[in-house]
Amino acid sequence: VVTADDVAKAKPDPALYRLAASRLAVAPQRCVAIEDTPRGMASAIQAGCRVVGVCHTLDRSALTEADLVVDRIGELTVERLLSVEPREL
């Protein structure tokens, strides 16, 4: 678990996602971030993560930077997460 208390700067700074990937001993490009705000998505994208946008409080038009957008978290399956293409650096 990584929280804002573990990093010096908050989102959209990518430090939180980079730290999470480091603690998992994987490259950020192998991670999928699940976010519901443009600020959170920017953080994950800058870190190099793939991003799933979830329409909790915002509609799809606000989550256009995501690699995949779903209406609710219940739509996600392992197969669907694995289908999100890695970001190019």
Side-chain angles (χ1 to χ4, degrees), residues 16-47:
L16 187 125
Y17 279 107
R18 288 182 180 149
L19 178 59
S22 173
R23 287 186 179 177
L24 291 169
V26 297
Q29 295 78 10
R30 299 213 39 186
C31 299
V32 177
I34 300 171
E35 281 288 350
D36 63 351
T37 67
R39 187 178 181 94
M41 289 189 314
S43 175
I45 290 166
Q46 288 181 53

Short mmCIF file of all heavy atoms in Angstrom, two decimals, residues 16-47:
data_model
loop_
_atom_site.label_atom_id
_atom_site.label_comp_id
_atom_site.label_asym_id
_atom_site.label_seq_id
_atom_site.Cartn_x
_atom_site.Cartn_y
_atom_site.Cartn_z
N LEU A 16 4.08 8.75 -6.55
CA LEU A 16 3.29 7.73 -5.87
C LEU A 16 3.24 6.45 -6.68
O LEU A 16 3.47 5.35 -6.16
CB LEU A 16 1.87 8.26 -5.62
CG LEU A 16 1.02 7.34 -4.77
CD1 LEU A 16 0.48 8.10 -3.58
CD2 LEU A 16 -0.11 6.80 -5.60
N TYR A 17 2.98 6.57 -7.97
CA TYR A 17 2.93 5.37 -8.82
C TYR A 17 4.31 4.76 -9.01
O TYR A 17 4.45 3.53 -9.06
CB TYR A 17 2.26 5.67 -10.16
CG TYR A 17 0.77 5.66 -10.01
CD1 TYR A 17 0.04 6.84 -10.04
CD2 TYR A 17 0.08 4.47 -9.82
CE1 TYR A 17 -1.33 6.83 -9.88
CE2 TYR A 17 -1.29 4.45 -9.66
CZ TYR A 17 -1.99 5.63 -9.69
OH TYR A 17 -3.35 5.62 -9.52
N ARG A 18 5.32 5.57 -9.11
CA ARG A 18 6.68 5.04 -9.25
C ARG A 18 7.09 4.27 -7.98
O ARG A 18 7.71 3.21 -8.06
CB ARG A 18 7.66 6.16 -9.54
CG ARG A 18 7.50 6.69 -10.94
CD ARG A 18 8.49 7.77 -11.26
NE ARG A 18 8.30 8.25 -12.63
CZ ARG A 18 8.54 9.47 -13.02
NH1 ARG A 18 9.01 10.37 -12.17
NH2 ARG A 18 8.33 9.83 -14.27
N LEU A 19 6.73 4.80 -6.82
CA LEU A 19 7.04 4.12 -5.57
C LEU A 19 6.28 2.80 -5.47
O LEU A 19 6.84 1.78 -5.06
CB LEU A 19 6.72 5.02 -4.38
CG LEU A 19 6.96 4.41 -3.00
CD1 LEU A 19 8.42 3.99 -2.82
CD2 LEU A 19 6.55 5.41 -1.92
N ALA A 20 5.02 2.80 -5.84
CA ALA A 20 4.23 1.57 -5.80
C ALA A 20 4.85 0.50 -6.69
O ALA A 20 5.00 -0.66 -6.28
CB ALA A 20 2.80 1.85 -6.22
N ALA A 21 5.23 0.87 -7.90
CA ALA A 21 5.86 -0.08 -8.82
C ALA A 21 7.18 -0.59 -8.25
O ALA A 21 7.47 -1.79 -8.32
CB ALA A 21 6.07 0.57 -10.18
N SER A 22 7.95 0.31 -7.67
CA SER A 22 9.22 -0.07 -7.07
C SER A 22 9.02 -1.08 -5.94
O SER A 22 9.74 -2.08 -5.85
CB SER A 22 9.94 1.18 -6.55
OG SER A 22 11.10 0.83 -5.84
N ARG A 23 8.05 -0.83 -5.10
CA ARG A 23 7.78 -1.75 -3.99
C ARG A 23 7.30 -3.11 -4.49
O ARG A 23 7.49 -4.12 -3.82
CB ARG A 23 6.76 -1.14 -3.04
CG ARG A 23 7.35 -0.03 -2.21
CD ARG A 23 6.37 0.47 -1.18
NE ARG A 23 6.97 1.53 -0.37
CZ ARG A 23 6.32 2.19 0.56
NH1 ARG A 23 5.05 1.91 0.84
NH2 ARG A 23 6.92 3.14 1.24
N LEU A 24 6.68 -3.13 -5.66
CA LEU A 24 6.25 -4.39 -6.25
C LEU A 24 7.37 -5.04 -7.07
O LEU A 24 7.21 -6.15 -7.56
CB LEU A 24 5.04 -4.15 -7.17
CG LEU A 24 3.75 -3.77 -6.47
CD1 LEU A 24 2.71 -3.31 -7.49
CD2 LEU A 24 3.22 -4.94 -5.65
N ALA A 25 8.46 -4.31 -7.24
CA ALA A 25 9.62 -4.77 -8.02
C ALA A 25 9.25 -5.04 -9.47
O ALA A 25 9.69 -6.01 -10.09
CB ALA A 25 10.25 -5.99 -7.38
N VAL A 26 8.43 -4.14 -10.03
CA VAL A 26 8.07 -4.22 -11.45
C VAL A 26 8.20 -2.84 -12.07
O VAL A 26 8.12 -1.82 -11.38
CB VAL A 26 6.64 -4.76 -11.67
CG1 VAL A 26 6.50 -6.17 -11.17
CG2 VAL A 26 5.60 -3.86 -11.05
N ALA A 27 8.36 -2.81 -13.37
CA ALA A 27 8.40 -1.53 -14.08
C ALA A 27 6.99 -0.93 -14.10
O ALA A 27 6.01 -1.67 -14.21
CB ALA A 27 8.88 -1.75 -15.50
N PRO A 28 6.88 0.39 -14.00
CA PRO A 28 5.55 1.02 -14.08
C PRO A 28 4.77 0.64 -15.34
O PRO A 28 3.55 0.53 -15.31
CB PRO A 28 5.87 2.52 -14.06
CG PRO A 28 7.18 2.62 -13.39
CD PRO A 28 7.93 1.38 -13.79
N GLN A 29 5.47 0.36 -16.42
CA GLN A 29 4.83 -0.02 -17.67
C GLN A 29 4.08 -1.35 -17.56
O GLN A 29 3.23 -1.65 -18.37
CB GLN A 29 5.85 -0.10 -18.81
CG GLN A 29 6.49 1.21 -19.16
CD GLN A 29 7.60 1.64 -18.18
OE1 GLN A 29 8.04 0.90 -17.32
NE2 GLN A 29 8.02 2.88 -18.31
N ARG A 30 4.40 -2.11 -16.54
CA ARG A 30 3.72 -3.39 -16.31
C ARG A 30 2.54 -3.23 -15.36
O ARG A 30 1.86 -4.20 -15.05
CB ARG A 30 4.71 -4.40 -15.75
CG ARG A 30 5.84 -4.64 -16.74
CD ARG A 30 6.38 -5.99 -16.70
NE ARG A 30 5.31 -6.96 -16.52
CZ ARG A 30 5.53 -8.24 -16.34
NH1 ARG A 30 6.72 -8.70 -16.35
NH2 ARG A 30 4.52 -9.07 -16.18
N CYS A 31 2.29 -2.01 -14.89
CA CYS A 31 1.22 -1.74 -13.94
C CYS A 31 0.00 -1.13 -14.63
O CYS A 31 0.14 -0.43 -15.62
CB CYS A 31 1.70 -0.75 -12.87
SG CYS A 31 3.09 -1.37 -11.89
N VAL A 32 -1.16 -1.39 -14.07
CA VAL A 32 -2.40 -0.77 -14.52
C VAL A 32 -2.96 0.02 -13.34
O VAL A 32 -3.23 -0.54 -12.28
CB VAL A 32 -3.44 -1.79 -15.00
CG1 VAL A 32 -4.73 -1.10 -15.39
CG2 VAL A 32 -2.90 -2.62 -16.16
N ALA A 33 -3.08 1.31 -13.53
CA ALA A 33 -3.65 2.18 -12.49
C ALA A 33 -5.14 2.32 -12.75
O ALA A 33 -5.57 2.48 -13.89
CB ALA A 33 -2.98 3.54 -12.54
N ILE A 34 -5.92 2.28 -11.69
CA ILE A 34 -7.36 2.48 -11.79
C ILE A 34 -7.66 3.82 -11.14
O ILE A 34 -7.41 4.01 -9.95
CB ILE A 34 -8.13 1.34 -11.12
CG1 ILE A 34 -7.77 0.02 -11.80
CG2 ILE A 34 -9.63 1.60 -11.16
CD1 ILE A 34 -8.29 -1.21 -11.10
N GLU A 35 -8.13 4.76 -11.95
CA GLU A 35 -8.31 6.13 -11.49
C GLU A 35 -9.68 6.67 -11.87
O GLU A 35 -10.30 6.18 -12.82
CB GLU A 35 -7.23 7.04 -12.10
CG GLU A 35 -5.90 6.96 -11.42
CD GLU A 35 -5.88 7.62 -10.05
OE1 GLU A 35 -6.85 8.30 -9.69
OE2 GLU A 35 -4.88 7.46 -9.35
N ASP A 36 -10.13 7.70 -11.14
CA ASP A 36 -11.42 8.30 -11.45
C ASP A 36 -11.35 9.81 -11.62
O ASP A 36 -12.37 10.48 -11.67
CB ASP A 36 -12.46 7.93 -10.41
CG ASP A 36 -12.14 8.42 -9.01
OD1 ASP A 36 -11.01 8.92 -8.80
OD2 ASP A 36 -13.01 8.32 -8.14
N THR A 37 -10.13 10.35 -11.72
CA THR A 37 -9.97 11.79 -11.94
C THR A 37 -8.85 12.06 -12.93
O THR A 37 -7.89 11.27 -13.03
CB THR A 37 -9.62 12.53 -10.62
OG1 THR A 37 -8.31 12.12 -10.20
CG2 THR A 37 -10.65 12.28 -9.53
N PRO A 38 -8.93 13.16 -13.65
CA PRO A 38 -7.84 13.52 -14.56
C PRO A 38 -6.51 13.70 -13.82
O PRO A 38 -5.45 13.34 -14.34
CB PRO A 38 -8.31 14.83 -15.18
CG PRO A 38 -9.80 14.75 -15.14
CD PRO A 38 -10.09 14.04 -13.83
N ARG A 39 -6.54 14.23 -12.63
CA ARG A 39 -5.32 14.43 -11.84
C ARG A 39 -4.64 13.09 -11.52
O ARG A 39 -3.43 12.93 -11.65
CB ARG A 39 -5.68 15.18 -10.56
CG ARG A 39 -4.53 15.61 -9.72
CD ARG A 39 -5.09 16.40 -8.52
NE ARG A 39 -4.04 16.88 -7.68
CZ ARG A 39 -3.50 18.08 -7.77
NH1 ARG A 39 -3.94 18.93 -8.66
NH2 ARG A 39 -2.53 18.44 -6.97
N GLY A 40 -5.42 12.12 -11.11
CA GLY A 40 -4.88 10.79 -10.82
C GLY A 40 -4.37 10.11 -12.07
O GLY A 40 -3.33 9.46 -12.06
N MET A 41 -5.11 10.26 -13.17
CA MET A 41 -4.68 9.68 -14.43
C MET A 41 -3.37 10.31 -14.89
O MET A 41 -2.47 9.60 -15.35
CB MET A 41 -5.75 9.84 -15.50
CG MET A 41 -6.95 8.96 -15.25
SD MET A 41 -8.16 8.91 -16.60
CE MET A 41 -8.33 10.61 -17.01
N ALA A 42 -3.23 11.61 -14.74
CA ALA A 42 -1.99 12.29 -15.14
C ALA A 42 -0.80 11.74 -14.36
O ALA A 42 0.28 11.53 -14.91
CB ALA A 42 -2.12 13.79 -14.94
N SER A 43 -1.00 11.48 -13.09
CA SER A 43 0.05 10.92 -12.24
C SER A 43 0.49 9.56 -12.76
O SER A 43 1.69 9.29 -12.92
CB SER A 43 -0.47 10.80 -10.81
OG SER A 43 0.45 10.16 -9.98
N ALA A 44 -0.47 8.70 -13.04
CA ALA A 44 -0.16 7.36 -13.52
C ALA A 44 0.49 7.39 -14.90
O ALA A 44 1.46 6.67 -15.15
CB ALA A 44 -1.44 6.52 -13.55
N ILE A 45 -0.03 8.23 -15.78
CA ILE A 45 0.53 8.34 -17.13
C ILE A 45 1.96 8.83 -17.09
O ILE A 45 2.84 8.29 -17.77
CB ILE A 45 -0.36 9.25 -18.01
CG1 ILE A 45 -1.70 8.55 -18.30
CG2 ILE A 45 0.35 9.64 -19.30
CD1 ILE A 45 -2.76 9.47 -18.86
N GLN A 46 2.23 9.84 -16.28
CA GLN A 46 3.61 10.36 -16.17
C GLN A 46 4.56 9.31 -15.61
O GLN A 46 5.75 9.31 -15.93
CB GLN A 46 3.63 11.60 -15.29
CG GLN A 46 3.02 12.81 -15.94
CD GLN A 46 3.09 14.01 -15.02
OE1 GLN A 46 4.16 14.35 -14.52
NE2 GLN A 46 1.95 14.64 -14.80
N ALA A 47 4.04 8.41 -14.78
CA ALA A 47 4.88 7.34 -14.24
C ALA A 47 5.11 6.24 -15.27
O ALA A 47 6.01 5.42 -15.10
CB ALA A 47 4.22 6.75 -12.99
#
